[in-house]
Amino acid sequence: MKVFVVGASGRVGQELCQALIKRGHQVTAGARHFDSLKGLKLTEVPLDLHAPVAEIADKIGQQDALYFVAGSRGSDVLEIDTYGAIKTMQAAQLNHISRYIMLSGYGSLNPSFWEETTIREYYLGKYLADNWLIHQTDLDYTILQPGSLTETPATGTVALNVQAAGNNSISDVARVLAAIPDHDNLIGKVIPMHEGTIPIDEALAQI
């Protein structure tokens, strides 16, 4: 499968590219910097989410699936996390890419969860982007909602559709994301996750 990763140079993006390559996918990495991706067998495409939709669509090209794992880490939420994400959805539609996989955050669609948090702006941005994906596009989407990301070793196991926020190894989040296209039952699903005991592909198959 040909896949495009928006935000490939980020913490999750790096791990996701590696996991996708291990699964045999042809990966195109969209980012502004590529130092963190050295040594990986992929195609590098300079991508600026401040650009117009048509330019973003041209950069993405023809793909089988599109991942959005970019993030401004609080420095440019509206332009990157929200409007940048929306522009990639519009680009996917222009390019007839139906499969779209979004990395979000636990509770993003539930304002009562995040309205009083110290990162309210981040969650508001995710809330708007996720709702746009669900209600304003006809894309075959999957939204993954991990809780707190940790730089701990991968376990290869998870808990999905959980009812409370928890910790998530970045490597495990990347492995879950990479496995999603292999499970057609996940189209149109929003999946909360945190660390758990069920092997990743088994957990995804059970949804």
Side-chain angles (χ1 to χ4, degrees):
M1 179 180 287
K2 293 176 61 179
V3 299
F4 192 102
V5 178
V6 179
S9 63
R11 295 188 301 165
V12 175
Q14 300 170 45
E15 299 267 5
L16 173 58
C17 289
Q18 294 179 47
L20 287 167
I21 292 167
K22 287 181 180 178
R23 281 182 171 261
H25 298 298
Q26 182 179 336
V27 178
T28 301
R32 287 184 295 177
H33 310 287
F34 297 97
D35 291 347
S36 61
L37 301 173
K38 287 182 179 178
L40 295 182
K41 188 178 180 181
L42 48 71
T43 301
E44 298 176 355
V45 172
L47 183 68
D48 183 357
L49 291 175
H50 294 91
V53 172
E55 181 178 328
I56 292 172
D58 183 62
K59 295 280 189 176
I60 290 171
Q62 298 303 309
Q63 308 289 337
D64 298 311
L66 177 63
Y67 281 90
F68 187 89
V69 297
S72 67
R73 303 191 76 173
S75 64
D76 197 8
V77 172
L78 285 178
E79 288 288 351
I80 300 299
D81 304 68
T82 304
Y83 192 38
I86 290 170
K87 286 191 284 188
T88 65
M89 299 170 204
Q90 295 170 330
Q93 292 177 300
L94 284 174
N95 292 1
H96 305 289
I97 304 167
S98 61
R99 196 72 175 96
Y100 189 102
I101 300 163
M102 168 73 87
L103 174 63
S104 189
Y106 183 87
S108 64
L109 294 169
N110 180 12
S112 64
F113 172 77
W114 49 260
E115 279 184 331
E116 303 302 322
T117 69
T118 57
I119 53 172
R120 185 176 185 273
E121 184 180 9
Y122 165 79
Y123 270 107
L124 179 57
K126 283 298 187 183
Y127 174 81
L128 295 172
D130 291 354
N131 269 288
W132 186 283
L133 178 57
I134 295 168
H135 299 295
Q136 301 297 325
T137 79
D138 58 1
L139 297 170
D140 292 334
Y141 69 85
T142 302
I143 299 173
L144 184 66
Q145 298 179 315
S148 299
L149 300 181
T150 62
E151 296 182 2
T152 52
T155 65
T157 59
V158 292
L160 301 178
N161 279 344
V162 291
Q163 301 302 312
N167 293 326
N168 304 262
S169 160
I170 290 173
S171 295
D172 282 332
V173 171
R175 293 181 184 193
V176 171
L177 288 166
I180 285 174
D182 296 331
H183 298 271
D184 289 341
N185 60 304
L186 305 180
I187 291 174
K189 299 292 178 62
V190 179
I191 308 170
M193 74 165 280
H194 62 60
E195 58 191 11
T197 60
I198 303 175
I200 287 171
D201 279 292
E202 181 181 336
L204 291 171
Q206 292 175 358
I207 293 177

